């Protein structure tokens, strides 16, 4: 630190001292100054740690410790009914997972619903952001209006969509009927139910992502577009050759965030499934990994197995992140 | 809720149309209107459905306009799902989470932005890395812990695990790196201010707009938090989301009442959005550019 502590004390009373406040031992100016210097040094050195400490304390208590404990629990037999008894089980929980068709089913569903929700969501958001980036009347109004789904909770949104997607009396099937389409069984169909669940995710997050893209678009210098226009590039070519390449890091960021969100998908399928939501539909057709974990732990009472599912999810996420990182590096060098 | 500071620089700057950008044509507005309708109509229809009775909802065509049963359904939802208590609980929880997040993240963000200390970069990398840890990884031990402590159905169960956020730390850091001149801190130090005084008189005033935005974002997120509350709380002392889950999962739920509950659970946030929408927009956008 370049600033030297002052050698004179102008207002000793107004100093709320951090740390232990010893009364100055003597009225002597020198000793007082020496004490202040020491305290100042101590303050500059340690207060940064005090400022970041709450984050790390809370993270250790509610993030890191549980993470490790989950790993430990996944190697044990642990029942919801008797939390004090842990029996060593080695890799048995993991082996069971590998042999459980519903685990693979849930993994496949998580992937499928993830793709069905992430791809349309981000593509639509990109187009919306492009529109919002133009010169627009009532710009703030559109932005806020597109955020209403973001302010709606998973629970509220899903419950509404359950009604809208009703097979016999749902608004969507009624509208389809007006267009001459037969009623669709959104709840029990394999693909239709996955599409329905995905649509709730798309509904909630498209506007949010559009704002993220919009922010990135506003960082693109206008000169890039002007020179592209001078070179005779059409609007669409400008979008493809100026906007999208400039947005690459942001697009990657949203892909990563949406992927993390997709691997954790829980509330939408749970509530879309109604009374037996943890199964993800009558034939597990939209059971995600999050639901599978919940079913194993809180309906099958096998917390050890639920822990193994949690760690499997984590490893899958790390794998996805590694692949994403590699892709990002490729994209960067390709340019 | 703190009164938000005047418009954030992002929103201001972006409202002025830049020279080169094309003006939106009728087609653009049509698309925007369609999208806004798609965003808003499900919520409007929630209110429509909540204003009929269950038998009317089991008819084709579905109701497209308001009926006269809204007050009745709201009343049932209120008493059946413990919604009064749920709303109070959620307000408390989301308020505490927002306050804690803002306080702790501002302190940490300030340290990472402007203070020098050993291990700063490594610790910041850890903060960012923690965003990758999914909540599923901690539910089993947290649940065991809660059972052990006898905290089932206590609100601290859902407050404590979300009291800090890596996103918040990062968000405040990014804001303070640019908004807080280092000379200002040095000047305060020359005047003999200790770190706590620097925080109170220099950092907090500068950070206020970002703190307001982070507070609103945390409030919204905490209000809508689902996974852990559903596992940790029961219908006896629920948050709104838990109460709604209870309403929706009966074997033959009264759909009109469910919609009334969904409406009640969403209205407070819609109000927040209506009042502070432009700041929330600015916050999301600012968090994004540098994220």
């Amino acid at each position: 630190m370049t600033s030297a502590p002052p050698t004179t004390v102008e207002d000793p009373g107004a100093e709320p001292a951090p740390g232990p406040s010893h009364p100055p031992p003597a009225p002597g100016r020198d000793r007082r100054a020496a004490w202040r210097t020491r305290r100042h040094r101590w303050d500059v050195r340690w207060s940064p740690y005090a400022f970041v400490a709450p984050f790390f304390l809370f993270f250790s208590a509610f993030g890191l410790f549980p993470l490790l404990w989950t790993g430990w629990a996944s190697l044990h037999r642990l029942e919801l009914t008797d939390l004090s008894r842990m029996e060593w089980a080695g890799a048995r929980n993991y082996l069971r997972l590998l042999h459980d068709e519903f685990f693979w089913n849930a993994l496949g569903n998580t992937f499928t619903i993830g793709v069905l929700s992430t791809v349309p969501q981000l593509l639509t958001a990109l187009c919306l952001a492009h529109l919002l980036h133009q010169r627009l009347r009532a710009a703030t109004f559109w932005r806020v209006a597109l955020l209403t789904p973001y302010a709606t909770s998973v629970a509220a949104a899903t419950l509404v969509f359950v009604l809208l997607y009703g097979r016999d009396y749902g608004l969507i099937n009624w509208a389809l009927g007006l267009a001459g389409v037969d009623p669709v069984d959104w709840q029990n169909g394999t693909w239709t139910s996955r599409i329905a669940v995905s649509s709730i995710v798309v509904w909630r997050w498209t506007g949010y992502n559009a704002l993220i893209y919009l922010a990135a678009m506003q960082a693109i210098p206008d000169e890039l577009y002007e020179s592209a226009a001078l070179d005779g590039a059409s609007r669409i070519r400008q979008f493809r050759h100026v906007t999208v390449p400039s947005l690459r890091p942001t697009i990657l960021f949203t892909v990563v965030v949406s992927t993390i969100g997709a691997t954790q998908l829980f509330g939408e399928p749970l509530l879309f499934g109604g009374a037996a939501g943890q199964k993800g539909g009558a034939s597990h057709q939209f059971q995600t990994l999050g639901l599978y974990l919940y079913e194993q732990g809180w309906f099958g009472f096998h917390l050890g197995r639920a822990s193994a599912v949690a760690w499997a999810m984590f490893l899958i996420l790390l794998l996805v992140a590694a692949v994403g990182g590699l892709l990002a590096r490729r994209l960067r060098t390709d340019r | 809720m703190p009164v938000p500071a005047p418009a954030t620089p992002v929103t201001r700057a972006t409202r002025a149309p830049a020279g080169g950008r094309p003006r939106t044509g009728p087609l653009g507005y049509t698309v925007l209107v369609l999208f806004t309708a798609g965003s808003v109509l499900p919520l409007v229809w929630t209110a429509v459905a909540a204003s009929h009775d269950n038998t009317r909802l089991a008819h084709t065509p579905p109701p497209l306009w308001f009926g006269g049963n809204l007050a009745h359904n709201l009343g049932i939802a209120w008493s059946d799902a413990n919604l009064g208590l749920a709303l109070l609980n959620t307000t408390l929880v989301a308020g505490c989470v927002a306050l804690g997040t803002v306080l702790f993240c501002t302190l940490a963000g300030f340290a990472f932005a402007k203070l020098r200390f050993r291990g700063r970069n490594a610790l910041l990398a850890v903060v960012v890395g923690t965003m990758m840890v999914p909540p599923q990884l901690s539910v089993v031990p947290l649940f065991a812990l809660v059972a052990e402590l006898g905290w089932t159905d206590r609100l601290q169960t859902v407050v404590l695990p979300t009291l800090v956020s890596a996103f918040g730390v990062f968000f405040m850091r990014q804001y303070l790196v640019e908004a807080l001149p280092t000379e200002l801190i040095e000047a305060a130090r020359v005047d003999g201010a200790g770190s706590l005084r620097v925080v109170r008189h220099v950092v907090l005033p500068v950070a206020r707009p970002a703190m307001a935005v982070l507070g609103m974002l945390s409030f919204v997120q905490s209000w809508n938090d689902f996974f852990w509350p559903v596992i940790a709380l029961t219908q006896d002392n629920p948050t709104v989301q838990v109460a709604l889950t209870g309403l929706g999962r009966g074997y033959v739920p009264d759909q009109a009442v469910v919609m009334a509950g969904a409406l009640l659970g969403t209205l407070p946030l819609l109000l927040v959005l209506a009042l502070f929408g432009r700041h929330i927009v600015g916050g999301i956008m600012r968090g994004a550019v540098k994220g």
Side-chain angles (χ1 to χ4, degrees), chain A residues 1-6 10 14-16 18 36 40 43-45 47-49 51-52 54-56 58-59 61-63 65-67 69-70 73 78 80 83 124 128 131-137 140-156 159-164 168-171 174 203-204 206 208 211-212 214-216 218-219 222 226 235 250 253 256 260 263-267 270-271 274-278 290 293-294 298-299 303 306-307 310-311 313-314 317-318 321, chain B residues 10-11 14-15 17-25 28-29 31-33 35-36 38-40 42-43 45-46 49 57-64 104 107-108 110-112 115-119 123-124 126-127 130-145 147 160-161 163-166 169 186 189-197 199-200 217 220 223-224 226-227 230-231 241 244-245 248-251 255 258-259 262 266 269-270 273 277-278 280-281 284-286 288-289 291:
Chain A
M1 209 66 213
T2 48
S3 61
E10 299 99 8
E15 177 79 32
R36 293 207 80 188
H40 174 83
D43 175 34
V44 166
R45 176 139 189 216
S47 53
Y49 295 104
F51 291 161
V52 300
F55 176 85
F56 288 99
F58 277 99
F59 175 70
F62 298 106
F65 165 72
L67 174 88
W69 202 92
T70 305
L78 174 64
L80 185 73
L83 290 171
T124 316
L128 267 180
L131 269 181
L132 290 171
H133 187 49
Q134 297 177 345
R135 290 162 69 184
L136 192 64
R137 270 171 212 285
T140 311
F141 166 78
W142 300 112
R143 291 175 196 175
V144 175
L146 290 176
L147 266 192
T148 28
Y150 163 81
T152 311
S153 67
V154 176
L159 292 172
V160 179
F161 275 86
V162 166
L163 260 190
L164 289 175
D168 299 322
Y169 310 111
L171 197 65
W174 173 73
W203 181 74
R204 281 191 69 219
T206 300
Y208 181 88
L211 289 183
I212 291 181
L214 177 61
Q218 286 174 343
D222 280 336
E226 277 157 23
R235 288 265 191 87
T250 313
F253 168 78
V256 169
I260 294 178
T263 52
Q264 298 167 10
L265 201 67
F266 175 77
L270 177 76
L271 289 168
Q278 76 278 359
L293 181 157
Y294 187 51
W298 279 268
F299 288 84
L303 286 185
S307 304
W311 261 83
M313 286 172 73
F314 190 41
L317 201 60
L318 287 180
Chain B
V10 173
T11 6
T14 52
R15 286 215 310 160
R21 276 189 267 138
R23 199 180 284 280
T24 308
Y29 280 108
V31 174
L32 274 177
V33 167
F35 250 93
T36 310
S39 300
V40 174
L43 289 172
W45 194 75
T46 307
L57 290 181
H59 274 292
T60 333
L64 298 175
F104 294 140
L107 284 179
F110 163 57
F112 282 123
L115 301 179
R116 302 174 160 277
F117 53 100
R118 278 178 80 113
L123 287 178
L124 186 62
V126 171
V127 171
T130 62
M131 290 195 224
M132 288 283 294
V133 180
Q136 277 79 3
L137 272 167
S138 45
V139 285
V140 173
L142 283 183
F143 185 80
L145 185 74
L160 287 177
L163 210 49
V164 294
S165 95
V169 173
E186 279 167 8
R189 288 234 194 255
V190 170
D191 288 344
S195 296
L196 277 184
R197 261 185 97 150
V199 166
R200 260 190 57 199
L217 292 177
V220 172
W223 186 283
N224 288 336
F226 188 79
F227 182 58
V230 161
I231 287 179
Q241 310 311 327
L244 288 185
T245 310
R249 295 191 77 190
Y251 274 85
Q255 296 293 2
V258 173
M259 288 302 105
T266 312
L269 280 196
L270 290 183
L273 193 68
R278 57 157 50 220
I280 297 180
V281 166
I284 290 173
M285 287 177 61
R286 187 161 48 207
V289 190

Side-chain angles (χ1 to χ4, degrees), chain B residues 168-186:
Chain B
V169 173
F170 199 66
F171 180 81
M172 289 311 300
R173 187 197 96 99
Q174 299 303 82
Y175 180 79
L176 287 173
V177 161
E178 280 171 25
L180 181 63
T182 310
E183 301 81 47
L184 216 58
I185 305 168
E186 279 167 8

